[in-house]
Amino acid sequence: MRNLLACLGCITMLSVAFPSAAEEHVVSISAYRFEPSKIRIRVGDTVRWLNMEKRTSHSVLFSTPDLESERLFPGESWSRRFDSPGTIVYGCGPHPEMSGTIEVTE
Ligand SMILES: [Cu+2]
């Protein structure tokens, strides 16, 4: 029991010392889908899209602001950091049927 309490104390101290370490989240692209198609991240986190297709290229397209990655060929990836809260729906330039959602929370 004493060990358990010491352990909990340790975790509490760590979370106080590092309140919001930014994280990287990976969204893979395969079979013409973003996977996971919906993710929740925190302000300051980065999302990296990784093209896992065998031969199809994709992009990551945002309408506000108007921003599109370069065309990602199989094995390539592209990252974007999110600095303000909100829900962002994005797509793929060449394949309008593809879409994904990022919920950025404080
Ligand atoms: Cu695509």
Side-chain angles (χ1 to χ4, degrees), residues 19-74:
S20 59
E23 285 183 46
E24 183 189 68
H25 307 262
V26 176
V27 172
S28 65
I29 310 172
S30 65
Y32 293 82
R33 296 166 85 142
F34 295 109
E35 182 59 44
S37 62
K38 184 168 189 177
I39 56 170
R40 181 182 288 180
I41 69 172
R42 309 200 75 160
V43 169
D45 286 357
T46 297
V47 178
R48 185 160 70 92
W49 286 266
L50 173 63
N51 185 354
M52 304 283 285
E53 301 276 17
K54 286 203 173 83
R55 49 182 71 86
T56 309
S57 63
H58 298 281
S59 72
V60 183
L61 174 67
F62 298 91
S63 50
T64 46
D66 196 7
L67 174 70
E68 184 173 9
S69 71
E70 290 190 350
R71 197 66 80 84
L72 302 177
F73 288 91

Side-chain angles (χ1 to χ4, degrees), residues 1-30:
M1 190 59 187
R2 184 173 291 176
N3 283 345
L4 177 64
L5 287 176
C7 194
L8 287 174
C10 208
I11 291 167
T12 306
M13 281 195 303
L14 279 174
S15 59
V16 169
F18 303 100
S20 59
E23 285 183 46
E24 183 189 68
H25 307 262
V26 176
V27 172
S28 65
I29 310 172
S30 65

Side-chain angles (χ1 to χ4, degrees), residues 70-87:
E70 290 190 350
R71 197 66 80 84
L72 302 177
F73 288 91
E76 293 184 333
S77 68
W78 181 78
S79 298
R80 183 184 168 192
R81 198 178 112 151
F82 293 86
D83 291 319
S84 45
T87 299

